[in-house]
Amino acid sequence: MPKIDTTVGNLVEMIKNGELSLPEMQRRYVWPETRVRDLLDSLYRGYPSGTILVWETDQEMPIQPVAVSQGANPFKGHKMLLDGQQRLTSLSAILRGVPVRVSGKDKPIEILFNLDHPDGPPAEVIEVDGDSANPDDEATPDEDGPNLVSWLKNRTFVVASQALLTDPHWVLVSDIFSGKRTDAQILKPLVASFDDPLFEKYSKRLQDVRKIKDYQYVMHVLDKELSYVEVAEIFVRVNSLGMKLRGSDLALAQITSRWQGALQLFEKFQEECEEKWFTLDLGLLVRALVVFATGQSRFKTVGNIPLQRLKEGWTKAIEGLRFSVNFLLANAGIEDESLLSSPLLIIVPGFYAAKRNYQLSPEDERGLKQWLYVANARGHFSGSSETTLDADLSIISKGGTTADLINVLKLEFGRLEITAEDFVGRNKQNALFATAYLALKARGAKDWRTGLGLSLTHQGSVHIIEHHHIHPKARLRQAGFNTAEINEIANLAFIAGGTNRKLSKKPAEEYLAEMLQSKGTDALVAHCIPLDQSLWKLEAYPKFLEYRRTALAQAINEFIESGGASKSESSLQSALKNIDAVVGAGEGAAMEFKSSARWDYREQKHNKALEIVVAKTLAGFLNAEGGLLVLGVDNSGKTVGLEQDFKTLTKYPDKDGYEQFLVNLVAKTLGKVAASFVKIGFCTRDAKEVCVVHAESSHQPVWVDDQPQPHFYLRSGNTTQELSGQDQADYIKVRFK
């Protein structure tokens, strides 16, 4: 195997000219800016940083795009980059001043060089060699702490911030390489003249940064005669020995070496899930494939799974994961994967449903939600995750019920209930943090300024939900409380970003009193804030924590026991249980019947115009006081059923497919924010399937995206009417003030 000594500059040119390609077995670009920072620091100091491994081949091979722009390579022969992708992509972005493409978006890598950095070895020991699958946030002192400025001065390279960009001592590394500014122009704000001793010092340091282009890498070149399968085995061995890739990355390499085009299938499904608001890691998809192909989760078996079985496993995994995403969103109220303590929680519901042919009983649904909430809150997969997952899969494969899964949790944790003691010293990194959000959302907690309900689908930085320190950090620190006490979950509330910034460091006793006066007791009770104003004082902080730990524990336990039912879901469940009484009451301001949402009984065919009619009705409810839409019942109250509607669904002509159709319809026509206020359920009436859709009263105006322009509808009496012009403006001004 020949070795070639080459420079960073040459390698970057090879990337730019399209001479280096990525084989399908490679993972995507995953490095955070902190890893790029550390790599530059090592190259600047001349430290070793690994080697480069390529495979030179004339074969036509499935490839994937490099995360930076490349030119077309007119020659047949090309080199496949097997080891060094993260490093060379990062260096190409920095030296060429181009963005990297991550998750379909162009993102610049902005690293600053400190012209005034200390001489000698680095202030901190940093591991830079190899690819990391764990992009941790940059470790920095507390943002309010006094050591941040001195900490930064000791660094040679840092990730850019707005504050540092205004300081001429910090220069963007890309600007140093671009040649758009001379050294004299860069240093002009810092030196009095060319004779200034600092000019020579700083100028030399800029030249030393540019010498990174001359840094020598050893490039190992694999022989052209090797097969793709053999190269994949080398790739796995190299990365296994170096521990650079996760097991899922190595498993993916083994899969794609035998199943060309598999990566495109996985990425296509990733994009589909992203449209449903869930971002699923490629590693989770590989894990799910293994689970549905073998019934266990360990990657060590991948190399021995027959290709046909892999393909069948992927088909099953897609169906299972689709169910899970829909179950988490529609049934469990989990809007985003960030609310899960482990992504493995996404696999279990789909696997459980698959073993029951996707026909869950009400007991299955309730039990699965309870298991999900407890497993999430207690960090079920935080330890030996593969062993734990395999134990759950084994129970399900043997016909076990949700009660059996819950019994495992009891044995694991000793109890299912959350206690006040569970919150002591626990911060936002703990699994209870996300569960507290879910519980408070179910209690009807709203933003303290706008009155918007909690939702991770809100648009705009003013409305995006953030966590807020009820007692400001700075005041607690001055009072002598330690970091663990300051950042405890019991001191965190969930409010909009705009509200968080307005409250800033305002004393709790001041703004809580204002909130109580302007918004009433419900605004505080829903957030588990004590109404005893003596507990709002700084000196009573320990007692405040005690109260809120107990209140949060109670809220979470109630949330779990109720199956996570929100006020909207409670209304929906009540309607489903009493469907005869609901229909018997007839249509009105909060009730509408429709025979179908897709099948036109008059024309005897699928009619998409009916879908818009459903969207208009729901928009009318959302813009008024909320209401119920019953599908499968005609205007007279006669049960028609949904059989004809189901038949119009080509892929999944059943309840699951119908629910997915409705979810997509609402999100597409009314928007994702409005979709969070809509709940869907099914029941039987007169031996026929009926669907009930509950729409809450929205906190903001909802328009129907009906081309060529959006329309505003309002429920008035037992009809849905369109408002336009001044009528619309007047109503919105009063209703959504």
Side-chain angles (χ1 to χ4, degrees), residues 5-65:
D5 289 333
T6 187
T7 65
V8 164
N10 288 336
L11 290 167
V12 167
E13 280 298 307
M14 292 174 71
I15 292 279
K16 179 181 178 181
N17 298 331
E19 296 176 49
L20 280 176
S21 302
L22 289 183
E24 188 181 36
M25 71 182 75
Q26 272 279 23
R27 60 177 169 176
R28 292 177 175 180
Y29 181 77
V30 297
W31 263 20
E33 289 177 301
T34 50
R35 291 303 304 270
V36 184
R37 171 206 67 193
D38 297 347
L39 174 64
L40 289 172
D41 191 86
S42 280
L43 301 188
Y44 178 71
R45 299 173 189 278
Y47 292 172
S49 68
T51 59
I52 306 298
L53 177 63
V54 301
W55 174 38
E56 190 169 18
T57 177
D58 294 330
Q59 303 176 43
E60 288 294 327
M61 287 295 158
I63 63 173
Q64 60 170 307

Side-chain angles (χ1 to χ4, degrees), residues 90-378:
S90 303
L91 290 169
S92 185
I94 290 290
L95 270 62
R96 294 167 54 198
V98 296
V100 292
R101 192 151 186 85
V102 180
S103 299
K105 298 179 181 178
D106 288 332
K107 175 187 174 185
I109 300 179
E110 296 186 327
I111 308 297
L112 293 172
F113 173 67
N114 182 8
L115 287 166
D116 216 19
H117 69 78
D119 291 322
E124 298 181 27
V125 178
I126 302 169
E127 181 182 346
V128 298
D129 189 15
D131 293 352
S132 170
N134 183 25
D136 293 325
D137 292 334
E138 182 172 2
T140 60
D142 193 298
E143 63 268 30
D144 291 331
N147 299 321
L148 180 60
V149 174
S150 59
W151 182 87
L152 288 171
K153 286 183 177 179
N154 287 326
R155 301 302 295 258
T156 305
F157 295 89
V158 300
V159 177
S161 68
Q162 288 299 317
L164 292 180
L165 283 168
T166 62
D167 185 340
H169 289 91
W170 294 91
V171 186
L172 278 169
V173 178
S174 293
D175 286 354
I176 298 175
F177 285 103
S178 71
K180 293 179 180 178
R181 289 195 296 164
T182 64
D183 288 1
Q185 290 172 320
I186 292 174
L187 301 179
K188 184 178 180 180
L190 300 173
V191 298
S193 67
F194 291 156
D195 296 327
D196 190 324
L198 287 177
F199 181 83
E200 182 179 355
K201 175 184 176 181
Y202 291 159
S203 182
K204 181 181 182 304
R205 287 185 168 181
L206 291 173
Q207 293 305 317
D208 288 342
V209 172
R210 294 189 182 100
K211 287 180 182 177
I212 288 176
K213 289 183 68 172
D214 302 323
Y215 183 95
Q216 293 277 326
Y217 268 119
V218 174
M219 183 167 68
H220 297 278
V221 184
L222 297 180
D223 193 89
K224 290 184 178 181
E225 304 305 317
L226 293 174
S227 69
Y228 190 70
V229 173
E230 191 172 1
V231 169
E233 179 62 23
I234 294 171
F235 173 80
V236 170
R237 291 191 180 195
V238 167
N239 286 290
S240 293
L241 293 172
M243 293 305 290
K244 299 176 190 175
L245 301 185
R246 302 168 299 174
S248 60
D249 296 314
L250 302 177
L252 179 62
Q254 292 179 319
I255 291 169
T256 56
S257 70
R258 293 186 292 135
W259 181 7
Q260 294 185 14
L263 181 62
Q264 282 72 28
L265 293 176
F266 301 160
E267 291 180 341
K268 182 180 179 182
F269 183 69
Q270 269 188 311
E271 293 172 2
E272 176 188 321
C273 292
E274 184 73 42
E275 292 176 1
K276 304 296 186 299
W277 321 317
F278 267 58
T279 301
L280 301 187
D281 181 74
L282 199 59
L284 180 74
L285 302 188
V286 176
R287 178 87 66 184
L289 186 157
V290 173
V291 165
F292 281 87
T294 67
Q296 59 84 45
S297 68
R298 297 181 186 273
F299 295 126
K300 62 183 180 182
T301 64
V302 167
N304 299 320
I305 301 175
L307 178 58
Q308 185 57 36
R309 192 175 172 190
L310 279 175
K311 292 181 177 180
E312 292 171 355
W314 176 240
T315 300
K316 294 175 182 178
I318 287 177
E319 190 172 6
L321 289 173
R322 280 195 181 120
F323 173 89
S324 283
V325 169
N326 288 328
F327 182 84
L328 291 170
L329 283 168
N331 295 55
I334 296 176
E335 308 162 292
D336 190 89
E337 72 281 352
S338 64
L339 294 172
L340 297 173
S341 56
S342 168
L344 298 182
L345 290 162
I346 300 175
I347 292 178
V348 174
F351 191 74
Y352 184 90
K355 291 300 180 181
R356 283 157 176 75
N357 296 318
Y358 297 99
Q359 297 178 14
L360 297 188
S361 67
E363 291 75 18
D364 285 329
E365 187 213 352
R366 284 193 295 270
L368 203 53
K369 283 198 291 184
Q370 185 182 13
W371 175 86
L372 178 65
Y373 294 141
V374 175
N376 191 37
R378 306 288 282 179

Side-chain angles (χ1 to χ4, degrees), residues 465-486:
I465 299 299
E466 299 178 353
H467 67 272
H468 161 72
H469 285 74
I470 301 168
H471 282 272
K473 289 187 291 183
R475 298 191 77 229
L476 290 172
R477 189 178 292 111
Q478 291 171 0
F481 292 100
N482 61 45
T483 301
E485 293 170 314
I486 294 170

Side-chain angles (χ1 to χ4, degrees), residues 472-581:
K473 289 187 291 183
R475 298 191 77 229
L476 290 172
R477 189 178 292 111
Q478 291 171 0
F481 292 100
N482 61 45
T483 301
E485 293 170 314
I486 294 170
N487 294 325
E488 193 174 300
I489 295 172
N491 188 37
L492 302 179
F494 301 99
I495 57 177
T499 307
N500 194 11
R501 290 185 284 276
K502 281 184 177 295
L503 295 179
S504 187
K505 299 178 181 180
K506 201 171 184 179
E509 60 264 33
E510 288 186 20
Y511 74 78
L512 289 177
E514 294 170 0
M515 209 70 62
L516 182 62
Q517 184 176 6
S518 62
K519 300 289 185 180
T521 58
D522 286 349
L524 300 183
V525 171
H527 283 270
C528 292
I529 305 290
L531 295 179
D532 182 352
Q533 298 190 26
S534 67
L535 297 181
W536 302 348
K537 297 182 181 298
L538 189 63
E539 57 269 24
Y541 184 63
K543 290 186 178 180
F544 172 86
L545 288 181
E546 289 177 10
Y547 175 93
R548 201 154 185 267
R549 288 168 189 154
T550 301
L552 286 173
Q554 182 179 346
I556 289 175
N557 290 330
E558 290 175 353
F559 170 74
I560 293 173
E561 289 169 11
S562 68
S566 65
K567 292 179 180 179
S568 174
E569 290 169 326
S570 297
S571 298
L572 175 61
Q573 294 304 319
S574 176
L576 293 172
K577 290 179 182 178
N578 303 285
I579 188 65
D580 287 335

